[in-house]
Amino acid sequence: MAKNWVQREGESAPSELAGWAEKLEISKTLIDILWLRGLHTPEAMQQYLSPGLKYLEPFCKWPGLEESAAVLAEALLAGKKMAVWGDYDVDGVTSSAVVTQLVEAHGYDIVHHIPNRMEEGYGLNEAWIERLAADGIELLLTVDCGITDFAPIAKARELGMTVVVSDHHLPAETLPDAHAICNPKLGECPCAHLAGVGVAFFLMCALNAKLAETTGFRADVKELLDLVALGTIADVVSLSGQNRVLVKNGLLKIKEARRPGIAALKEVSGYAAGGTVEAGQVAFGLAPRINAAGRMGKADIALEMLLTKDHERSRQLARELDVMNEERKNEEERILDEAMKQAELQSDKMGLVLYGEDWHSGVIGIVASRVVEKFYKPTLILCSDGEKIKGSGRSISEFHLHEGLCNCKDLLLGFGGHRLAAGMSLEKDKLPELRTRFNDIVIEAVGDKPLTATLKFDAPMGFNLAADFTLLKELELLQPFGMGNSEPVFTSPTLLLKSRRIFARKHLKLELLDLDSGITLHAKAWRMVDDIPPSMEGRKLKLAYSPRIDRYNGSASVDLKIKDWEFLP
């Protein structure tokens, strides 16, 4: 849908900004972009452009980190058998891999458990706690979960386990009865928006140092950064501050692909094993294959792939993940098609509640995001879960989804989430009332008139600059792009759409002429095959776009990523 284009604004730039550009050896265009993004000293700009590991904060700055590391070290040195319990998404799987690799590097055995999404659901459960205890587990570490698992942790304590919770989700008013808890949301810290794998990484760094005090051996934690980048990008947390440092350096490790599982994952995703990958390629290429395993209740396959040192085994497992991902995509497309038709029928509603008896619970969150992208309305996607209904919701910037669900919690069996995403469950007979109430709640919050998404752009830019490889290489210094660090967007002068060509069934490649400069460039329009029909060829338009260097097959060319467009009369 068309968006409101709004240029970024900030404080007035100082006269010495040009001098900073010269000092940092960057262009005036780039320094203007950095200024508008809130970087107001040369030092802040330098750290942003070159976020080395020296900028990682010390252990003492993270709530509960040193205490948690001390508890783990004491238990391991005492010979306690350890288990790590993670979530089934990419963040949880990579967190489990980080812990397993570090603990094994110090010579200790470790068991891992990732819940089967279909059978166990999210978080800890008492049945598996009892099974671990029966297998002799005396030390339990949770990663990317645990902060609200009161009963299972109490059961683990009752069974004699030492329990450490490592999590990044919001805590409740009280905390579980663990021996130690490490969570950036429990106090002042340098980066409250760490992913679960970021918390696990800092904890393992602290454990590494603690064990070294006794054993003299210190593992190279830099070898864990590929896992940290993968999990952080997949969890869609802000790529700013400490996350930027972790991801920027982790992407270099993913490029090297010395881990057999990463090399195999890149290959099945269509990337060269030793090639550079950007955050977007991780988010839409590598991560979905790991997520597919969790959605199908087989996250252990992904974990084994990331940990195995056997290249042939890693390729075999990566191929299995690829097959699962294809199944997931096919299922997602079927559900998306049905959900879009339902959404059209609810065009008079401000809050959408869409239901499919046989929709797969593992993909409804993705579908909800796509529906919001299309209609720009808060959306709940629901499916059958035995005798009940479960669902996943996504929202828009103007509507706080978790607060909205609080206002109809009497209809729900349970719910959780935050401003833009949530999960919920309810009895089937409550569905009609939920449709009515949710729509009323959205109207009360944002009004009854359809809203339009806002697209922020950095500056106008003609194709004479968009085709400048020196500038495009400078823009690459702003990577990794994602939440909290959006890709620079520019607006074009008047263009002529010379031709359109379909690729991969639903995407377009456009040939565009800048009427001012006379330069022709190519652009990709993802999932827009129906939005820009053949009849638009020969029409004039303006674009909001991001220019980039396409290095496909070893040759470099300019490629424009279309964010939005406006056809002119």
Side-chain angles (χ1 to χ4, degrees):
M1 62 179 294
K3 301 177 175 67
N4 289 324
W5 299 5
V6 177
Q7 186 164 0
R8 289 183 184 274
E9 295 181 349
E11 297 177 24
S12 298
S15 57
E16 60 264 31
L17 204 60
W20 296 1
E22 187 175 340
K23 177 182 177 182
L24 295 170
E25 299 181 331
I26 58 178
S27 68
K28 180 66 165 57
T29 299
L30 188 61
I31 204 133
D32 287 343
I33 291 173
L34 294 175
W35 177 267
L36 287 176
R37 291 178 182 228
L39 299 161
H40 291 169
T41 65
E43 294 74 24
M45 292 179 178
Q46 181 61 47
Q47 179 176 340
Y48 176 86
L49 294 172
S50 302
L53 294 174
K54 65 182 179 181
Y55 294 116
L56 290 179
E57 296 285 352
F59 302 149
C60 61
K61 295 284 189 73
W62 301 99
L65 186 76
E66 291 180 306
E67 179 188 0
S68 297
V71 171
L72 291 173
E74 181 181 357
L76 287 170
L77 291 167
K80 290 188 175 183
K81 187 177 177 182
M82 180 176 179
V84 58
W85 186 306
D87 187 21
Y88 42 68
D89 66 1
V90 184
D91 193 15
V93 171
T94 52
S95 298
S96 298
V98 162
V99 171
T100 301
Q101 184 171 327
L102 189 283
V103 170
E104 288 183 344
H106 279 271
Y108 297 103
D109 292 331
I110 181 170
V111 172
H112 57 78
H113 179 66
I114 297 178
N116 182 305
R117 180 180 192 140
M118 312 303 171
E119 298 172 3
E120 300 173 65
Y122 171 78
L124 281 68
N125 62 79
E126 293 185 42
W128 261 96
I129 292 289
E130 291 173 349
R131 289 178 65 170
L132 291 174
D135 289 339
I137 297 300
E138 299 172 287
L139 171 62
L140 177 66
L141 170 64
T142 74
V143 288
D144 192 32
C145 62
I147 197 66
T148 56
D149 287 319
F150 300 96
I153 288 172
K155 172 59 72 173
R157 293 288 303 264
E158 179 187 319
L159 295 170
M161 291 185 194
T162 297
V163 182
V164 175
V165 170
S166 160
D167 201 352
H168 71 127
H169 294 100
L170 281 170
E173 292 183 4
T174 57
L175 297 175
D177 185 26
H179 290 82
I181 298 175
C182 178
N183 186 325
K185 292 184 173 65
L186 287 177
E188 290 294 323
C189 75
C191 184
H193 52 270
L194 279 181
V197 72
V199 181
F201 173 74
F202 279 112
L203 179 56
M204 288 303 100
C205 290
L207 175 62
N208 191 41
K210 200 72 181 172
L211 290 173
E213 293 175 4
T214 301
T215 66
F217 170 76
R218 189 184 291 260
D220 184 2
V221 293
K222 292 194 294 293
E223 295 306 312
L224 302 172
L225 286 170
D226 54 350
L227 300 170
V228 179
L230 179 55
T232 300
I233 292 168
D235 217 48
V236 200
V237 292
S238 176
L239 297 185
S240 58
Q242 296 287 279
N243 283 337
R244 179 172 174 79
V245 177
L246 294 172
V247 171
K248 187 89 169 184
N249 289 278
L251 285 171
L252 296 176
K253 291 293 181 184
I254 292 177
K255 177 183 184 297
E256 294 172 3
R258 288 190 287 189
R259 184 184 303 276
I262 292 292
L265 190 60
K266 287 172 72 176
E267 287 174 352
V268 298
S269 303
Y271 310 129
T276 299
V277 292
E278 300 173 1
Q281 292 169 311
V282 172
F284 298 106
L286 308 187
R289 287 166 169 81
I290 294 177
N291 250 336
R295 294 180 194 286
M296 302 300 177
K298 298 178 180 178
D300 282 350
I301 294 176
L303 181 58
E304 183 186 349
M305 182 199 67
L306 293 175
L307 290 172
T308 183
K309 296 179 174 63
D310 185 323
H311 284 272
E312 189 48 49
R313 178 62 175 159
S314 69
R315 290 190 191 99
Q316 177 189 342
L317 294 169
R319 287 192 293 268
E320 289 185 37
L321 295 184
D322 196 44
V323 170
M324 288 183 210
N325 191 51
E326 284 302 312
E327 294 173 359
R328 188 271 308 170
K329 285 197 291 187
N330 292 336
E331 183 72 356
E332 178 187 324
E333 287 301 318
R334 178 185 72 84
I335 295 172
L336 179 64
D337 183 59
E338 295 177 13
M340 289 293 190
K341 290 175 181 174
Q342 282 193 31
E344 292 282 2
L345 294 173
Q346 295 184 31
S347 59
D348 59 327
K349 306 294 185 185
M350 286 297 292
L352 303 178
V353 178
L354 314 176
Y355 173 73
E357 182 76 18
D358 66 341
W359 291 353
H360 195 296
S361 62
V363 300
I364 55 176
I366 303 172
V367 171
S369 296
R370 297 276 294 277
V371 172
V372 171
E373 183 182 318
K374 172 82 172 174
F375 294 95
Y376 204 66
K377 294 178 178 180
T379 301
L380 308 182
I381 304 283
L382 306 171
C383 64
S384 178
D385 181 31
E387 297 301 311
K388 301 179 178 62
I389 287 176
K390 68 189 302 185
S392 186
R394 297 293 184 271
S395 195
I396 59 178
S397 59
E398 294 88 347
F399 181 73
H400 196 302
L401 183 56
H402 187 267
E403 288 182 3
L405 293 176
C406 286
N407 292 330
C408 58
K409 63 183 179 182
D410 56 299
L411 301 176
L412 305 174
L413 295 171
F415 68 99
H418 48 82
R419 184 180 190 91
L420 294 175
M424 72 290 307
S425 62
L426 62 151
E427 299 287 356
K428 288 189 175 180
D429 61 0
K430 300 292 186 183
L431 177 58
E433 189 176 354
L434 178 64
R435 280 200 166 110
T436 301
R437 287 269 297 280
F438 185 68
N439 181 57
D440 291 343
I441 289 165
V442 174
I443 289 173
E444 185 176 348
V446 304
D448 60 0
K449 299 293 187 293
L451 301 173
T452 303
T454 296
L455 185 149
K456 287 189 176 181
F457 68 92
D458 294 83
M461 180 184 285
F463 281 8
N464 57 324
L465 282 177
D468 182 344
F469 274 80
T470 301
L471 175 61
L472 297 186
K473 287 178 181 176
E474 273 197 328
L475 294 178
E476 290 181 338
L477 296 173
L478 304 178
Q479 295 184 18
F481 301 128
M483 182 181 286
N485 188 50
S486 58
E487 191 170 16
V489 176
F490 304 96
T491 54
S492 76
T494 300
L495 309 175
L496 180 71
L497 176 55
K498 294 172 67 175
S499 67
R500 67 187 283 284
R501 178 170 60 82
I502 298 173
F503 70 97
R505 300 196 324 273
K506 53 190 175 182
H507 312 304
L508 289 175
K509 189 166 188 178
L510 307 180
E511 187 180 16
L512 299 159
L513 170 66
D514 180 345
L515 295 174
D516 290 344
S517 68
I519 295 174
T520 295
L521 293 176
H522 291 94
K524 291 189 178 74
W526 300 98
R527 296 198 301 271
M528 295 182 190
V529 68
D530 295 325
D531 299 308
I532 306 177
S535 60
M536 293 299 176
E537 287 186 352
R539 289 278 303 274
K540 293 179 181 179
L541 73 158
K542 289 190 174 183
L543 283 186
Y545 69 100
S546 296
R548 55 177 64 193
I549 300 173
D550 185 353
R551 296 182 174 85
Y552 184 69
N553 280 343
S555 62
S557 61
V558 178
D559 178 51
L560 310 181
K561 182 179 179 182
I562 296 176
K563 303 290 188 177
D564 200 17
W565 71 91
E566 176 190 8
F567 278 98
L568 303 177

